[in-house]
Amino acid sequence: MSAEERAAVLHDLENAVKTICSAMDSSLVPEVGMNIVFALPNATDPGDVAGVEGRIVRLKGKPHPVGAIAFGASDHVARIVLTAMRHDPTIRCAANITFSGEAIAVAEEMMFDICSFDRVNEPPGTRTMDWGVEQCCTDEVPDIIYDRGAVGKEPMIRILGEDPGVVVHNILMLSRRITDTNL
């Protein structure tokens, strides 16, 4: 990929992280941390996907990035995007947020295309994100993929979209709706 394409991906992701950190309710940051990733066009491995080194965590009640934005910074969330891209190459961005039944209910009300998988059904020798995302993308790539966790595995919601602007917009819409219903 060209230096310009790489710079554009990093720039768009940096702006997305700033927006998340200034506007998202920190209750959506999972205990294991949050990441948002953006892949280069035609990405084939995690090195082609930019993310936040060390993830985004809760610090003093606000989302806070631990490290810099860099290519290869996320393996876990990068695999979500890479699997989705095999089904729809325009879906180049994903982020993980904390799971709650309330968040799924709000997402359903907002008419998001939602799919879930159960880790109990994961075949031995597979990687959860590869397998789970694959299970949800047989017809098309949904806006949201979630699972309810397993022993030692935190339940998680993954938001997918074409670019960081779309993913952040959807996260912030969810965040506002959840915050408004909790007032």
Side-chain angles (χ1 to χ4, degrees):
M1 295 294 138
S2 72
E4 292 83 21
E5 286 176 309
R6 293 177 73 81
V9 164
L10 292 172
H11 178 264
D12 289 352
L13 195 54
E14 184 175 306
N15 287 337
V17 170
K18 286 178 184 174
T19 302
I20 285 169
C21 292
S22 67
M24 187 183 86
D25 188 302
S26 67
S27 68
L28 293 181
V29 177
E31 291 301 317
V32 296
M34 172 186 182
N35 215 326
I36 181 168
V37 302
F38 190 28
L40 290 164
N42 304 312
T44 58
D45 66 65
D48 297 331
V49 183
V52 181
E53 293 177 325
R55 303 180 188 177
I56 298 168
V57 299
R58 267 182 254 137
L59 180 66
K60 297 181 181 177
K62 299 202 80 137
H64 180 77
V66 172
I69 296 177
F71 283 94
S74 170
D75 181 65
H76 188 78
V77 183
R79 287 196 330 271
I80 294 168
V81 167
L82 292 169
T83 302
M85 285 178 73
R86 287 197 296 271
H87 295 272
D88 182 348
T90 67
I91 304 299
R92 296 175 35 214
C93 185
N96 66 307
I97 61 173
T98 195
F99 171 86
S100 72
E102 179 184 16
I104 295 301
V106 167
E108 288 171 345
E109 288 173 14
M110 296 172 71
M111 306 295 287
F112 283 115
D113 184 16
I114 303 169
C115 184
S116 67
F117 63 89
D118 188 340
R119 289 173 180 258
V120 171
N121 299 324
E122 182 181 346
T126 60
R127 298 178 92 171
T128 303
M129 287 309 100
D130 299 336
W131 172 81
V133 173
E134 190 69 39
Q135 297 304 299
C136 287
C137 293
T138 55
D139 295 325
E140 64 183 356
V141 177
D143 303 310
I144 294 176
I145 298 173
Y146 75 92
D147 76 275
R148 295 181 179 270
V151 176
K153 300 291 183 180
E154 185 176 4
M156 199 70 60
I157 295 172
R158 296 129 191 119
I159 313 288
L160 294 95
E162 293 84 3
D163 59 52
V166 169
V167 170
V168 169
H169 174 77
N170 290 342
I171 290 171
L172 294 181
M173 283 194 326
L174 275 170
S175 179
R176 282 191 286 276
R177 290 281 299 273
I178 292 166
T179 302
D180 289 348
T181 59
N182 288 334
L183 294 178

